Amino acid sequence: MRILVMNPNTTASMTASIRATATAVAAPGTSIIATEPLWGPESIEGHFEGYLSAAAVLDRLTTLDTSFDALVMAGFGEPGREGAQELLDVPVLDITESAAQMAMMLGHAYGIVTTLDRAVPQIQDRLLTAGLLQRCAAVRGTGLGVLELEADPERTVEVIIETARGAVRDGAEVICLGCGGMAGLQERVADALGVPVVDGVAAAVKFAEAVVGLGLTTSTARSFAPPRPKVIGSWPLSTHLSPERFQDSPRGVDFSAQTSDI
């Protein structure tokens, strides 16, 4: 089984962190492929950057020359998942819904700890659309920007723990890490809080393995039917950009076999 994990921003170091978390939880025989868009924002902190990223991710998926059995979209609360479901004939999981669904299996109410406070309404809207908001006790921002998460890892963990304690006081029995850039921190946060902590990347990978293992994929009966054939000007965009545009920008692409032996 090959699972493609898509970092929605263009920061290659974050792709590497997401890849490491996905690989660590993957079952034997599961290969993790990780990449990011060829263009777009270096981090996503708002609707404008979110919609730019969604287009960039769809562009990347349209032009990607490798096969995979499932897609994990590693953006928390961001748009584009539905477009990928229309585009692809394999299961598509995103870390927002995967984290929330898993958290609801572990406790009555869950909380989410994310980056900036401005991300809170965006995440709440995503949960509402997915029918998952009712059992969410709190969505709290740490005040850390996405790129700040990697700048000082120790401070990042401390701030996440303190913010998560507030969500627990609000009634959360399970905490979800609300950013792909927080991947891999769940054990340290759980040890400090004494409640289960769900990493969305890890949850989505395990759900993807289950869905593929059961021989299931997205229904095309109605909502996620393939796009109707029509002319889309200058699409995909990356094929219209000069190669020089990308040659100095390191990509996080890794198509080598990365089979977990855990």
Side-chain angles (χ1 to χ4, degrees), residues 94-130:
D94 84 330
I95 65 173
T96 315
E97 293 184 23
S98 295
Q101 293 280 10
M102 188 165 285
M104 290 192 300
M105 299 175 189
L106 304 174
H108 175 73
Y110 67 94
I112 294 172
V113 176
T114 188
T115 52
L116 301 178
D117 182 67
R118 65 178 295 168
V120 171
Q122 198 168 346
I123 291 172
Q124 290 172 327
D125 285 349
R126 187 74 192 176
L127 296 172
L128 179 63
T129 300

Side-chain angles (χ1 to χ4, degrees), residues 19-40:
R19 178 193 295 118
T21 294
T23 301
V25 301
T30 296
S31 296
I32 299 297
I33 310 161
T35 190
E36 72 274 341
L38 294 173
W39 54 272

Side-chain angles (χ1 to χ4, degrees), residues 8-9 33 36 93-94 105 108 120 164 171 191 201 207 224 233 256:
N9 67 46
I33 310 161
E36 72 274 341
L93 290 298
D94 84 330
M105 299 175 189
H108 175 73
V120 171
D191 287 345
V201 173
F207 278 132
F224 304 119
S256 60

Side-chain angles (χ1 to χ4, degrees), residues 229-244:
K230 65 185 65 176
V231 175
I232 302 177
S234 299
W235 183 261
L237 179 60
S238 59
T239 63
H240 296 269
L241 299 174
S242 65
E244 292 77 13

Side-chain angles (χ1 to χ4, degrees), residues 79-100:
R81 198 276 320 278
E82 296 87 350
Q85 286 180 291
E86 291 185 7
L87 184 66
L88 303 176
D89 59 1
V90 300
V92 178
L93 290 298
D94 84 330
I95 65 173
T96 315
E97 293 184 23
S98 295

Side-chain angles (χ1 to χ4, degrees), residues 109-184:
Y110 67 94
I112 294 172
V113 176
T114 188
T115 52
L116 301 178
D117 182 67
R118 65 178 295 168
V120 171
Q122 198 168 346
I123 291 172
Q124 290 172 327
D125 285 349
R126 187 74 192 176
L127 296 172
L128 179 63
T129 300
L132 301 169
L133 185 60
Q134 184 175 357
R135 286 174 59 185
C136 182
V139 182
R140 284 177 167 250
T142 59
L144 297 174
V146 173
L147 298 182
E148 289 181 81
L149 297 174
E150 295 182 330
D152 186 343
E154 291 304 315
R155 177 173 179 267
T156 293
V157 172
E158 291 174 4
V159 173
I160 290 173
I161 290 170
E162 186 58 34
T163 305
R165 285 197 176 106
V168 171
R169 288 193 294 270
D170 290 336
E173 300 170 9
V174 183
I175 294 296
C176 299
L177 299 181
C179 178
M182 296 177 180

